[in-house]
Structure formats: structure tokens, C-alpha cells
Amino acid sequence: MEDHVRIFDTTLRDGEQAPGCTMTLEEKLEVARQLARLKVDIIEAGFPAASPGDWAAVHQIAGEIGTPDGPVIAALARANREDIDKAWTAIQPAAKKRIHTFISSSDIHIEHQFRSNREEILNRARESVRYARSLCDDVEFSPMDATRSEPEYMYRMLAAVVEAGATTLNIPDTVGYTTPEEYAALIAGIYTHVPGAEQVTISTHCHDDLGMAVANSLAGVRAGARQIECTINGIGERAGNASLEEVTRAVKPARHFLNRDPQINTRDLARPTRLITTKTAMPVPPNKAIVGANAFAHESGIHQDGILKNRMTYEIMDATTIGLDGNELVLGKHSGRNAFRTKLAAMGYEFDSEEEFQNIFRRFKDLCDKKKVIDDRDIEVLIAGEAQHTPEVYRLDHVQVTCGTGVTPVATVRLTDPDGNEHTTAAHGTGPVDAIYKAIDRIVERPTELLEFSIKAVTEGIDAVAEVSVRIKEVGSEAPPAEFRIGRHRGPQIYSGHSINTDTIVAAAEAYMSALNRMLAARQERLSAEAAAYAAGYDRNTPTYAVDLFGQNAVEE
């Protein structure tokens, strides 16, 4: 462990808690497969006590991804026996299991959320870890809001859980409050004040509210931490978490300073970042470090001159080391299946079935008829689009718009409903997209609020493929307040949709239909997941709660 920084990925748990980032079970499995391909050390697969659906997802990920040579599969649990039992049963199929339990150590949480006192909370932490350790040899404990806690009290809590059997101590900067110097001092203080700390793994978990999640994580490693908790693209609550791609790449050039290195396959970083973008409809900003579109772009004449002479003059890493090639695809509409299959294999893509490959090939041929030049980025979005598992409740059969100067935009839409009936209607709007969405709403009759509409060109040129992402909220079915996360309601009911097409208008319509179908299918999927969880061993007799994520004031649904 001296030269190894463990990467603990919490995209499927903390990342999914970001509004609109909820994923289907199949999407979670796809993300988990990519994380295993990256060779992350631990995957926090979810929060089994949150709902039967969450339990079922963790259980299935543990069964498929938790192989003997795969990552540790972790499940989150509050500091109580019911949560811990659900976490333990959910991760049973995994060869390497971890229970991650937590409770707050800051006075503001103890007083206002738990309505308790320090001694009671400390006892709950100790007893929960002791119980978790009686079930599982690998137990992680987090004193939530650690960076706003009184250090001496937090050290007492950590000493108690180490004695009770904790094998990893995670130190969360839950609200993104601290600075690198402060965080490093907190980590160093654990080794000084917590008996047995040198025998366990110290972990970082930093949020990005002040833009310092990655810096704080690296400072923690410098001070002795041996695990970094992070997410793909840095998604997560509020401003998000430390970004996996940033911390894993930043550790390498700073190895002389940190004297530590993660064992992760950085050459596969680009693929999961695009996958998460597709599944959550949260685009990566162009100036995003490591994987943003501008990360390896140069416009300044001075920079271009240096790059032409030696790329290292203005680039500190090779784009190929994170899975970005940039070489144009030399195939075209006359290319055959074997050539296309060879190209995909060189890009690192594998397919579960011949049917899946044939679908991609057909879409490739269609694109060749519309674009003269196709490069790797076009292929990536084709595959990302094919990999979507959006349920098709309503099918978009036809969309047509009339718009222009001095003309009121009008859209005609035809949808097929779940029973196979066709519905056609028209609507006018302030623009072509507004008209399309109004026409769709007339047919579906489930009013929504459009929260976000994003469109970008995947490649350069007037014939570029358009990539559209939308996020919607259902109107008329208000969810509990945002602080309520557990149980059947996980905060505001926000749904995302994504589409790619050479026709921008069609892409906009498809993205909206994707989000709508997610919304319409959410209830049925939850019921199906609950049935699967109950059948697989989820405790039906333990009530589902809608509670404050961090507190005790449970209200049974």
C-alpha cells in the first residue's frame, strides 16, 4: 500500500444524488462495467436502504461486477442495524464486499439534524461499526461534515470506531468547506491523535462547493491518505465531488511530491466520461480539465507554433493516455463490416452480441450518407446513442416544422402510444423546438417544466452531428422538499434525455421524448425493481422511509 492510492468511485451513489442524474438499473450496470474496466479499486454501488430499487441495483452489480479479480463492491448505510442489514444482503454476491456506514460528527448536524448530543452519536457510531464488522471484514466509517467538526471530538469518534473494527476511515468535506492546508492538517492530526490509525486506510471525500475538491483530495494524500473518493466528471450533490479523471491524472505528474500513485487504467478515461454525459444529460464544459473539448485545443499563434515544434511545449500529457486519439476515421460508406469491426476494436469497443454490432453498423452507414468526413468522435456518439436504455413508452414516428422570418413556427408530431395507437397533432410556439414540445405535450397529456435545453455540435463543419440534452420536471406531482432523499422519493423528480442526429430539430424532439419516456416509465420501473428486490431477499417487513438523509426524524410512507 505504500505506493498505491486506492480509487473509490461513488458515481453510482453520491453522483446519482445530483438532481436529474438518477439512472436506470441497466444504465448503472453499464457504468459499473466501465468502472471495472478502468480498474478502480472500490465501486460504491448505491444506498440499499434508500428503496427496494436501490437494493436491487446494488445486488445485481455485486453479482455481475464483483468478481474475484474485480473491484470491491461497497454499499452505503446509515448508522443503524436496519440500513446495515440491507447493505449486507445487497452486496452478498460480490467476492469482495464492503459496508460503508456514516454518522455526523459536527455540532451543527448533531444539534439540528439529529437533535441529539455528542455522546449518543459517538455510541451509535461505535455500535454500528461493531455490528457491521460482525457481518463483514471490510468496514468503512465516515464522520460526516468532518471538516466543520471540533477536531478533538472527531478524533474520539474515530478512535472508537477503529477499536470497534473499522478498516477504513473516510474524512468527508461534506459541504466543500475547507482549504488544502486545513484538510491536510486534519488528515495529519488523525495519525497523531487516533490510536491505531496507522493500521487502517485513511480516505478523502471532498465536495467542490468552493472549487477545491481535487486540491483538497491531493492535499489529503500528501498528508497520508491512501484512498480518494471521487466520481466520473465530478458529478454529485450541489457543485459535485472530486473528479475521478482529474485526481487520477493529477497524481501522476505530482508523484515526486505526493510519492503515491493510483493503479488505474487512465487510457480508458474518455469513455466513461462520455457515458456519464449521455446517461445524465449533464454535458462536460469545453474548459473542463482533462476531458473537456478544449483540453487539447490550441488557438493562440504562439501556442500553435510551440505545439508544431514539440507538443510538450504546451501540453503536459499525451491525449492518447486518457483514451483520446483524434485520428480521423478513414472508413466511409463503401467500407465493409470487417473494416468497421476492426476500427471499433482498435478504439476499445466490445459488443455483447452480433445484433448490437449490426445496429451500430447500420447507424454508421446512415451517417455516411449524410456526412462526408467521419472521425472517432462521430463513432463514439453513435455507440453512446445505441447504448441508451431509455424505455419507449411513446414512440416518435414523425416530426415536421414550418418556421422562418415572418412566419409563426408550427410543428406537426405523430406519436404511437403504449397500446399501439397513433396520435397526430400540431402546435405553434415561439420557435421550432417550443412548437415541437408543445405538440408532444398535447398528445402525452403529462405537463412538464423544461429546466434545461443544451445543444452542441459533436464535430466541426456544417454537417456536424448535433447532440441535444434536456432536463425536465413533471408538473403537478410535487415531490417532498429537496432535503428528503430516502425512500420512494429522491428529491425533485427531474428526468434527463439525450439524443444525437444530423438533423438538429429531430435531435431536439428525440431528446425530449427520451426524458418524457423516462418520466412515464419511472413508476413502473420502481414497482418492478421492488418486486425483484423482495424476491431476492429485501426485508419487506421493514418500512420504507422518507427521511432526512442525515437525521433520525423518519416519517413512514
Side-chain angles (χ1 to χ4, degrees), residues 197-261:
E198 67 281 356
Q199 304 300 321
V200 301
T201 299
I202 308 299
S203 175
T204 70
H205 182 108
C206 300
H207 280 261
D208 208 35
D209 296 71
L210 297 178
M212 291 187 283
V214 171
N216 287 336
S217 299
L218 297 180
V221 173
R222 173 65 172 169
R226 297 293 175 270
Q227 175 178 293
I228 298 175
E229 303 200 357
C230 47
T231 62
I232 297 294
N233 293 347
I235 66 171
E237 293 276 9
R238 304 181 314 280
N241 291 261
S243 161
L244 182 147
E245 56 275 12
E246 292 178 28
V247 295
T248 53
R249 282 301 310 169
V251 167
K252 289 184 177 293
R255 195 178 192 285
H256 65 283
F257 175 71
L258 299 172
N259 199 31
R260 299 289 179 266
D261 214 3

Side-chain angles (χ1 to χ4, degrees), residues 65-334:
I65 310 300
T67 60
D69 59 347
V72 175
I73 304 299
L76 187 69
R78 289 168 295 178
N80 63 65
R81 289 197 171 209
E82 291 78 13
D83 273 30
I84 292 169
D85 283 338
K86 285 187 171 64
W88 177 237
T89 56
I91 60 176
Q92 278 304 299
K96 292 177 284 188
K97 312 171 183 65
R98 175 179 295 187
I99 295 174
H100 178 194
T101 187
F102 69 98
I103 200 166
S104 289
S105 58
S106 71
D107 288 332
I108 190 170
H109 280 196
I110 292 172
E111 178 182 353
H112 295 287
Q113 288 192 301
F114 286 83
R115 292 179 173 84
S116 186
N117 58 70
R118 286 185 173 187
E119 290 307 313
E120 180 183 343
I121 295 299
L122 189 148
N123 288 333
R124 284 186 59 186
R126 179 192 295 113
E127 293 307 312
S128 296
V129 169
R130 180 174 290 125
Y131 180 63
R133 186 58 192 269
S134 73
L135 303 172
C136 185
D137 291 334
D138 189 354
V139 176
E140 177 170 332
F141 175 77
S142 295
M144 192 165 54
D145 205 23
T147 55
R148 293 196 297 174
S149 302
E150 197 275 315
E152 295 306 317
Y153 174 69
M154 187 193 71
Y155 296 148
R156 283 181 57 207
M157 180 179 287
L158 295 178
V161 299
V162 168
E163 184 180 3
T167 54
T168 297
L169 300 178
N170 178 50
I171 311 304
D173 184 20
T174 302
V175 293
Y177 172 79
T178 195
T179 64
E181 293 79 8
E182 293 171 328
Y183 193 69
L186 191 64
I187 298 294
I190 293 171
Y191 286 104
T192 302
H193 300 287
V194 177
E198 67 281 356
Q199 304 300 321
V200 301
T201 299
I202 308 299
S203 175
T204 70
H205 182 108
C206 300
H207 280 261
D208 208 35
D209 296 71
L210 297 178
M212 291 187 283
V214 171
N216 287 336
S217 299
L218 297 180
V221 173
R222 173 65 172 169
R226 297 293 175 270
Q227 175 178 293
I228 298 175
E229 303 200 357
C230 47
T231 62
I232 297 294
N233 293 347
I235 66 171
E237 293 276 9
R238 304 181 314 280
N241 291 261
S243 161
L244 182 147
E245 56 275 12
E246 292 178 28
V247 295
T248 53
R249 282 301 310 169
V251 167
K252 289 184 177 293
R255 195 178 192 285
H256 65 283
F257 175 71
L258 299 172
N259 199 31
R260 299 289 179 266
D261 214 3
Q263 295 179 346
I264 194 167
N265 182 15
T266 58
R267 289 185 178 274
D268 275 329
L269 278 174
R271 287 179 61 187
T273 63
R274 173 161 287 280
L275 178 65
I276 288 297
T277 297
T278 300
K279 302 308 179 190
T280 64
M282 293 185 69
V284 172
N287 63 334
K288 169 79 162 62
I290 313 299
V291 294
N294 292 346
F296 297 94
H298 303 274
E299 184 172 342
S300 164
I302 295 175
H303 285 219
Q304 290 175 342
D305 178 66
I307 288 293
L308 290 171
K309 294 173 179 175
N310 187 321
R311 298 199 70 87
M312 295 302 291
T313 54
Y314 289 100
E315 289 183 1
I316 62 172
M317 72 188 83
D318 188 330
T320 61
T321 64
I322 62 168
L324 295 176
D325 186 358
N327 294 327
E328 286 189 355
L329 181 66
V330 295
L331 305 179
K333 66 179 180 179
H334 299 296

Side-chain angles (χ1 to χ4, degrees), residues 324-546:
L324 295 176
D325 186 358
N327 294 327
E328 286 189 355
L329 181 66
V330 295
L331 305 179
K333 66 179 180 179
H334 299 296
S335 300
R337 287 173 174 80
N338 288 337
F340 187 61
R341 193 190 304 271
T342 300
K343 175 61 179 177
L344 294 181
M347 294 174 67
Y349 289 106
E350 300 175 358
F351 299 97
D352 296 329
S353 67
E354 180 64 18
E355 181 183 3
E356 187 178 4
F357 168 76
Q358 294 296 345
N359 289 337
I360 293 291
F361 184 70
R362 282 193 293 270
R363 297 186 70 191
F364 165 70
K365 285 290 191 177
D366 290 341
L367 186 60
C368 286
D369 289 333
K370 300 173 182 177
K371 287 196 65 178
K372 292 182 179 181
V373 178
I374 297 177
D375 65 19
D376 289 3
R377 291 169 292 177
D378 293 307
I379 298 299
E380 287 175 355
V381 297
L382 280 180
I383 293 174
E386 183 65 27
Q388 291 188 76
H389 297 282
T390 303
E392 191 176 70
V393 181
Y394 280 83
R395 185 178 73 244
L396 177 66
D397 296 323
H398 172 82
V399 59
Q400 180 178 336
V401 297
T402 301
C403 61
T405 304
V407 176
T408 299
V410 177
T412 302
V413 170
R414 184 173 70 246
L415 305 181
T416 299
D417 68 21
D419 296 323
N421 302 312
E422 290 187 353
H423 304 267
T424 303
T425 192
H428 61 81
T430 57
V433 174
D434 182 50
I436 290 171
Y437 288 5
K438 286 178 177 177
I440 291 173
D441 286 343
R442 282 186 181 179
I443 296 174
V444 176
E445 295 183 332
R446 293 294 293 271
T448 63
E449 177 185 351
L450 182 65
L451 301 178
E452 183 177 330
F453 178 89
S454 171
I455 182 170
K456 68 175 182 177
V458 173
T459 55
E460 299 79 14
I462 197 169
D463 60 353
V465 172
E467 184 174 18
V468 177
S469 299
V470 302
R471 301 172 79 197
I472 64 173
K473 177 182 178 182
E474 187 172 10
V475 176
S477 60
E478 293 301 322
E483 66 269 18
F484 287 90
R485 301 290 186 189
I486 305 304
R488 295 185 177 90
H489 300 292
R490 298 175 64 87
Q493 301 299 285
I494 298 173
Y495 302 89
S496 60
H498 178 267
S499 180
I500 54 168
N501 201 295
T502 51
D503 189 319
T504 304
I505 294 298
V506 173
E510 291 175 341
Y512 190 61
M513 286 303 305
S514 174
L516 273 175
N517 279 329
R518 283 175 180 267
M519 181 186 76
L520 296 171
R523 181 175 183 276
Q524 183 57 47
E525 181 174 326
R526 176 179 62 79
L527 294 175
S528 298
E530 286 179 1
Y534 290 138
Y538 188 89
D539 185 0
R540 184 186 296 270
N541 296 318
T542 301
T544 300
Y545 293 104

Side-chain angles (χ1 to χ4, degrees), residues 5-65:
V5 175
R6 292 180 177 179
I7 298 300
F8 178 111
D9 183 273
T10 184
T11 302
L12 296 175
R13 200 279 299 170
D14 202 337
E16 201 204 12
Q17 288 179 195
C21 287
T22 299
M23 291 175 268
T24 66
L25 190 150
E26 189 60 39
E27 288 171 335
K28 290 181 181 180
L29 277 169
E30 190 173 352
V31 172
R33 294 183 193 113
Q34 287 296 324
L35 293 174
R37 183 185 177 94
L38 275 177
K39 299 189 183 302
V40 302
D41 298 276
I42 304 101
I43 296 176
E44 188 168 49
F47 196 167
S51 71
D54 280 14
W55 186 96
V58 174
H59 192 72
Q60 192 158 337
I61 290 169
E64 179 178 329
I65 310 300

